[in-house]
Amino acid sequence: KAGVTQTPRYLIKTRGQQVTLSCSPISGHRSVSWYQQTPGQGLQFLFEYFSETQRNKGNFPGRFSGRQFSNSRSEMNVSTLELGDSALYLCASSLEGGLSNQPQHFGDGTRLSIL
Amino acid sequence: QKEVEQNSGPLSVPEGAIASLNCTYSDRVSQSFFWYRQYSGKSPELIMSIYSNGDKEDGRFTAQLNKASQYVSLLIRDSQPSDSATYLCAVRRTYNQGGKLIFGQGTELSVKP
């Protein structure tokens, strides 16, 4: 069974640009969550999508947005990039969130560098 | 106070010893608890999940949960150099937080041959 697939693996952008990251969850998984990982802040929750609806949102500015498609694939967009957005962006999927205790499984991440 | 706290380490243990990793959380309504292992330059990998008070064993790993003390731990028996990694504790308030996990800063474990 294929794991969580994130593309691209590496990305270099400049300040002010925008970027779209993609995540394909494990087959059958309907919940997709996004996290940002930096050395200083650690792993921080961005948002979660379930059945094409954003169900939870972390404390990030509106420049960070996402969506989920009917096949559960998800995309994350960051507009007007800032130097501080340089991070590893991780996608995690689970069978479902909410009342379920299903654990999340992470993809390999997208390493975003802002110049 | 951080929602999930871990000793940053590094924790250094000799090969074959028991490594003990600790985690405390602040929100009493937290219901699901997870341990992830992250090797340098890699993504987090799920090791254990625990939902009820007590111990849960899986091979060389044992997770312990005490909800009254808001404390969860991970024991690694017969530690191997390949266990050297950062261990992340994650907590979820399941009933209304969906897929939102709150992570600790992680404890770096070094197992010396």
Side-chain angles (χ1 to χ4, degrees), chain B residues 57-72:
Chain B
E57 188 175 318
D58 184 1
R60 296 186 296 113
F61 299 97
T62 299
Q64 299 174 316
L65 175 60
N66 184 325
K67 289 188 177 182
S69 299
Q70 294 174 237
Y71 174 90
V72 58

Side-chain angles (χ1 to χ4, degrees), chain A residues 1 4 25 27-28 33 37 39-40 47 49 51 58 70 78-79:
Chain A
K1 199 174 192 181
V4 178
S27 178
S33 295
Q37 187 174 33
F47 29 65
Y49 286 87
S51 293
S70 58
V78 188
S79 62

Side-chain angles (χ1 to χ4, degrees), chain A residues 89-101:
Chain A
Y89 289 88
L90 291 160
C91 168
S93 76
S94 62
L95 276 173
E96 60 179 275
L99 299 180
S100 167
N101 279 326

Side-chain angles (χ1 to χ4, degrees), chain A residues 29-44:
Chain A
H29 284 196
R30 298 169 61 196
S31 170
V32 173
S33 295
W34 289 89
Y35 296 84
Q36 180 195 66
Q37 187 174 33
T38 60
Q41 298 299 317
L43 258 166
Q44 292 186 289

Side-chain angles (χ1 to χ4, degrees), chain B residues 10-21 37 39 60-61 75-87 107-113:
Chain B
L11 173 66
S12 183
V13 300
E15 184 174 356
I18 296 175
S20 178
L21 304 163
R37 176 176 63 196
Y39 292 113
R60 296 186 296 113
F61 299 97
L75 300 178
I76 306 175
R77 291 182 301 280
D78 188 25
S79 295
Q80 300 297 310
S82 59
D83 294 326
S84 297
T86 296
Y87 289 79
T107 297
E108 183 184 347
L109 172 66
S110 177
V111 181
K112 303 295 186 184

Side-chain angles (χ1 to χ4, degrees), chain B residues 2-113:
Chain B
K2 291 184 178 179
E3 289 190 67
V4 180
E5 294 205 56
Q6 297 180 250
N7 293 329
S8 60
L11 173 66
S12 183
V13 300
E15 184 174 356
I18 296 175
S20 178
L21 304 163
N22 304 316
C23 173
T24 57
Y25 58 95
S26 61
D27 194 334
R28 285 192 170 275
V29 302
S30 298
Q31 303 214 350
S32 307
F33 307 87
F34 306 91
W35 283 100
Y36 288 84
R37 176 176 63 196
Q38 186 172 27
Y39 292 113
S40 180
K42 301 293 186 181
S43 64
E45 172 193 11
L46 180 69
I47 299 176
M48 294 282 287
S49 57
I50 187 166
Y51 311 112
S52 304
N53 280 328
D55 296 358
K56 179 181 178 182
E57 188 175 318
D58 184 1
R60 296 186 296 113
F61 299 97
T62 299
Q64 299 174 316
L65 175 60
N66 184 325
K67 289 188 177 182
S69 299
Q70 294 174 237
Y71 174 90
V72 58
S73 66
L74 179 71
L75 300 178
I76 306 175
R77 291 182 301 280
D78 188 25
S79 295
Q80 300 297 310
S82 59
D83 294 326
S84 297
T86 296
Y87 289 79
L88 298 162
C89 171
V91 171
R92 183 168 69 202
R93 290 173 284 178
T94 306
Y95 66 93
N96 68 350
Q97 290 294 303
K100 178 180 180 179
L101 291 179
I102 307 298
F103 283 85
Q105 287 291 99
T107 297
E108 183 184 347
L109 172 66
S110 177
V111 181
K112 303 295 186 184

